[in-house]
Amino acid sequence: MSEATTDRSALTEEEREIFDTIDIEEPWNLLEEFAELNRLSGTEDERRAAEYMTGRLDALGVEHQRFDPELYISQPHDATIRTINKTFEPGIVKTVGFSASTTVQAEVEYVGTASSDLVDDGVEGPREPFAELDDLEGRIALVDGGSFSIGATTVLEEKGAGGVIAIHEHRREPHDGIATPVWGGAPPYDERERIPDVPIANVTKHDGGILRDWAESEEGLELELSTELTTDWMACPIVEARIEGKADPDNDDFLLLHGHYDSWYVGITDNATGDAGMLELARVFNEHADKLKRDIRICWWPAHSTGRYAGSTWYTDEHAVEIAERCVAQVNMDSPGAKDSAEYTDMSCWTPEAHGLVTDTIDDVAGIPSAEQFPPRAGDYSFDNIGVTGFFMLGSNIPKEIRDERGYHPVGGCGGNSDAWHVSTDTLDKAGKDELLRDIRIYAVSILRVLNAELLPFDHTRYADRLIDVVEEYDEVAGDAFDFGPTIDELAELREAIESFRERAEAGDIPPSVANNAITELSRTLTRLYLVEDGQFEQDPATSRDPVPRYDPAHEFARLDGDERRFLEVQMKRAQNDTVHELRQARRRLP
C-alpha cells in the first residue's frame, strides 16, 4: 500500500481531534471475534455477533437498542449436479438465496453470456439478456456470465427454463449470491410472482467449461440438478446506536451511518471491516457528542446477503416518515480496509451533490486517488426511493493494475479481491490494519463535515448539471421520436434558482434552519429523479438502472415502429409531465 498523506492543515481543530482519537484496537478486536463466526442470517453465529456489538456498545456507554424483526430470507444449503449421459465429478457447486429448493432432470442448453443485469453488489453488463433466445421448453439453461445475474435468470425463467446453472469466473469455488430481484426479500403481495421458481446453481469456471463443451456437442448433455434451501421468515437482530449531538440540542436532524454484519462464511472484508469501523465511529462520536450539532444513528443490518437487504429495508419501512423529514444523509460502510487498497476509484459511489464533500475529504485525510461512480441498485441503499443523499457504498479498492497482476476478475466488494468476495477465503488475512484505520478516518471526517455544517455541504447546482447532461443524452437517443426539451429547460431554470438560493444562504440572508430544510428537500426531488422509478415509500427492484430510469425506455425508440413506437411516446409524455411538475414544485419551494 502506498503511504497515505494527511493534510492536517486542511482539517479543523475538531476534525484533527477526532482524527487523532480513532484507533485500530477496538476495530481489530471485532475482526478477531468475527473471524470465528459464520454470520449467515437466521443463525446462532449471527446472534452471537449482534450480542458482541451490543456488549461493546454497553461497555463504551453508547445508547443503543436491538430489534428482532422477522425477515423473509433464504438460506442456501446444498446443490448437486449429476450427469446422466456423461461421467463427471464436479468441484464445488453452490445454490443461491431464493432459488427453488427442488430437483429437476433435463437436457442442458448453453445460452451464452449472463452478465446482463445487476449482480450482487453492483456488477453490470449488457442491457438486454437473451433477447434473441428461443423458448427453452423446460431445459436447464447453462449460462456463461462470470457472476450470477438476476435479470438474466428472470428472462430464462420467462422463456421456460426448468433450471439455471451459472458458470463463474472463480476457479476454486463459485461465489455465493442471491437470485431474487425483490428488494428486501419479502415482496409486496402484488409482486409475489417475482420470486424465482426454478432451481439455480453456480459452478466454477473449470467445471462450467466441461459442461459447455458437452452441451454444445452433437450428443448433448442431460443432467439432474438438485438444490436445497430454507426460505422462511426468521428473526434477525438489528442493532442501532443513537448519539445525540449536544452542541445544538434543538436540531434533531440526523445522519444515518450503516452497514451489514451478516456474511457469507466469516466475511472479514465483506463486511466485518465495516462493522468494526462503525463500532469505532460509535465510540469516537459518542466521546465527542458535546461537539456535534446534529445527531448520528449507526445501524448494523442483518439479511443483506440472504434477504436482498431485508434488514435495512425493514428499518426504512418502520422509520420512513422520520427518514423523509429528518435524515440529511445516509452513509454506507461496506468493505473498507481491504489489504492493499489504496484508492477510492472503482467501487465507491455517491449522489452528485456529495461529490465535493467526499473527494475533498479523501484528499485531506489520505491524499489518495478518488473518482465518482454512479450508485448501482445495490449495497444497502434502501433509502433511494425516499430521496436521501448518499455517499460511499463500498470502501476503498485495490488498484486495478495490482488486481490484474494477481489475476482477479471483477467483483462487487472486498476492495476488488475476487479471492475474498463471497467465498470461504474472505478471512482475517484479507484485511489490513493501516488500510482500515485510514478508511475509518476518511469516513469520520466526511461525516463530521455533515454533522457540524452550518449549511449542509451539498452542491445541488452540480446535481442539476449532471441531470441536464443525462437528459440531453436521452434527447439525443430519442432523436425525432421524442423531445425532452421541456425537462432540460426546467432543469436549467431550477439550476439557476439553486445557485441564487445558495448565494443568499451563504450570505446569511436566509436562516440556516430554513436553508437546510430546502437543501434536504432538493435532495428528495433530485435523488428520486436520478435513481428511482417507483413511489417514495416503495422499493425499486434490485436490477440494474441507468441515471433517470423513468426515461430509460427512450432507448427503445430506435428499434420500434408503428403502434409500439406511439405507445412509447405516450409513456414518455406522461413521465415528462410528472418530471416537469416535480422540478417546478422544487423550484417554487426554494426560499
Side-chain angles (χ1 to χ4, degrees), residues 1 3-4 24 28 337 431-439 441:
M1 185 189 78
E3 188 68 26
I24 199 62
W28 208 259
K433 285 188 177 181
D434 291 342
E435 294 91 337
L436 181 56
L437 184 63
R438 175 206 63 210
D439 287 350
R441 286 171 167 166

Side-chain angles (χ1 to χ4, degrees), residues 153-269:
T153 300
T154 300
V155 174
L156 292 172
E157 185 176 357
E158 290 172 350
K159 290 181 178 289
V164 176
I165 299 174
I167 305 170
H168 278 221
E169 284 294 307
H170 206 284
R171 295 182 177 275
R172 184 180 53 80
E173 63 175 302
H175 302 286
D176 285 78
I178 186 168
T180 179
V182 177
W183 192 279
Y189 180 75
D190 59 357
E191 296 180 14
R192 63 196 183 281
E193 297 301 324
R194 296 174 64 187
I195 296 175
D197 196 32
V198 296
I200 303 162
N202 295 335
V203 297
T204 64
K205 187 172 185 176
H206 173 267
D207 289 349
I210 295 172
L211 295 176
R212 175 181 175 177
D213 287 345
W214 288 341
E216 292 187 309
S217 70
E218 185 176 344
E219 182 183 356
L221 174 64
E222 185 178 358
L223 61 74
E224 178 184 87
L225 169 62
S226 293
T227 53
E228 182 185 351
L229 303 91
T230 300
T231 300
D232 206 347
W233 297 90
M234 301 184 199
C236 302
I238 292 173
V239 178
E240 178 205 53
R242 293 195 182 193
I243 299 166
E244 182 180 346
K246 297 176 182 177
D248 186 358
D250 294 331
N251 188 344
D252 60 359
D253 287 348
F254 66 91
L255 177 145
L256 176 61
L257 171 64
H258 61 97
H260 70 94
Y261 74 96
D262 67 312
S263 63
W264 298 115
Y265 314 101
V266 299
I268 291 299
T269 55

Side-chain angles (χ1 to χ4, degrees), residues 20-33 52 56 60 272 275-277 279-281 283-284 287 428 432-434 436-437 440-441:
D20 292 337
T21 304
I22 294 169
D23 188 78
I24 199 62
E25 181 180 2
E26 185 77 51
W28 208 259
N29 287 342
L30 183 145
L31 293 190
E32 291 177 338
E33 179 75 17
Y52 176 84
R56 292 307 304 149
L60 296 169
D275 305 324
L279 184 60
E280 177 67 0
L281 291 173
R283 179 186 75 83
V284 171
E287 289 180 4
L428 191 58
K433 285 188 177 181
D434 291 342
L436 181 56
L437 184 63
I440 296 171
R441 286 171 167 166

Side-chain angles (χ1 to χ4, degrees), residues 313-344:
T313 301
W314 178 88
Y315 188 89
T316 304
D317 289 341
E318 290 296 308
H319 301 276
V321 175
E322 64 174 338
I323 291 170
E325 293 177 350
R326 295 169 47 205
C327 184
V328 297
Q330 58 93 6
V331 182
N332 185 224
M333 198 166 195
D334 196 337
S335 295
K339 189 171 181 59
D340 297 323
S341 61
E343 301 176 349
Y344 276 77

